[in-house]
Amino acid sequence: MKKLKITYNAPAVLTFVLLCVLVQIISMVTGGASTRLLFTTYHSSLKNPLTYMRFFTHIFGHSGWEHLFGNAAYLLLLGPMLEEKYGSKVIIETMFITAAVTGIINYIFFPNVALCGASGVVFAFIILASFTGFRGGEIPLTFILVAVIYIGQQVVQGITVNDNVSQMAHIIGGCTGAFIGFLLNKKRH
């Protein structure tokens, strides 16, 4: 009988989730100050170098363990499949492109909203995952249904629900995932 071993099968996704856990632990120790300072993007002076860093680092910070675990579940479910198909480099690029786009859009259009968490990345992964059956010259019905269900739901909630959830990050993350999915699959076919 072969000996079973645990493998670090999706290094980009696993490292990302572990960094989010580490950031959450540091946040607990600092009473949330570290997350507010380094891992939340908000409208701050463009003369402050941290403003630019936070456009990228806000995806590591979360408002609490429940927020983190909700995002981590999706990341760990979808990420390994995506990382196996596209490679670690593409997944890391997807995470940071999504972070930059959501961070900058939040800064410009929502100056009174602080944004943290990996929800935009989760939605990018959800939409990107719907491209797994993509063939040249075709648009998968799964992509259309996932886009309508997930992004449509966020549009409706953004209009009708007043909560602390950034539907903008979800929508922009999903659109980023769609854009990257089309580009990646266009290159392959």
Side-chain angles (χ1 to χ4, degrees):
M1 182 173 197
K2 240 183 168 178
K3 190 175 181 182
L4 295 176
K5 65 180 182 175
I6 296 173
T7 61
Y8 205 71
N9 62 314
V13 172
L14 288 168
T15 301
F16 178 74
V17 170
L18 289 173
L19 286 172
C20 290
V21 169
L22 179 63
V23 166
Q24 186 60 32
I25 291 169
I26 293 168
S27 182
M28 286 178 52
V29 170
T30 64
S34 59
T35 297
R36 284 188 300 278
L37 178 65
L38 302 171
F39 304 105
T40 301
T41 187
Y42 46 86
H43 204 80
S44 56
S45 172
L46 292 175
K47 293 177 183 175
N48 183 348
L50 291 178
T51 299
Y52 301 97
M53 184 186 82
R54 287 188 291 254
F55 287 154
F56 297 95
T57 61
H58 72 273
I59 60 174
F60 296 105
H62 288 80
S63 62
W65 289 107
E66 186 176 342
H67 184 208
L68 171 58
F69 289 153
N71 284 334
Y74 279 106
L75 293 167
L76 294 170
L77 178 68
L78 298 168
M81 171 190 63
L82 293 171
E83 195 165 343
E84 183 177 324
K85 178 172 178 153
Y86 298 114
S88 298
K89 181 178 182 270
V90 167
I91 294 306
I92 292 167
E93 289 170 349
T94 299
M95 288 187 238
F96 284 103
I97 289 168
T98 303
V101 171
T102 56
I104 291 167
I105 287 175
N106 187 73
Y107 183 90
I108 294 169
F109 296 106
F110 302 94
N112 297 322
V113 175
L115 179 66
C116 73
S119 301
V121 174
V122 166
F123 272 75
F125 279 16
I126 289 169
I127 299 298
L128 189 56
S130 69
F131 279 93
T132 55
F134 187 89
R135 289 174 190 71
E138 299 176 357
I139 297 176
L141 180 57
T142 54
F143 164 74
I144 295 169
L145 293 173
V146 166
V148 167
I149 291 168
Y150 279 94
I151 295 178
Q153 175 190 31
Q154 294 308 303
V155 170
V156 169
Q157 286 181 352
I159 295 169
T160 62
V161 178
N162 186 11
D163 58 14
N164 263 349
V165 176
S166 177
Q167 283 81 19
M168 175 281 301
H170 298 171
I171 293 165
I172 298 302
C175 292
T176 303
F179 181 74
I180 291 169
F182 274 117
L183 287 180
L184 290 172
N185 286 290
K186 187 177 180 181
K187 288 179 187 177
R188 293 176 184 253
H189 300 285

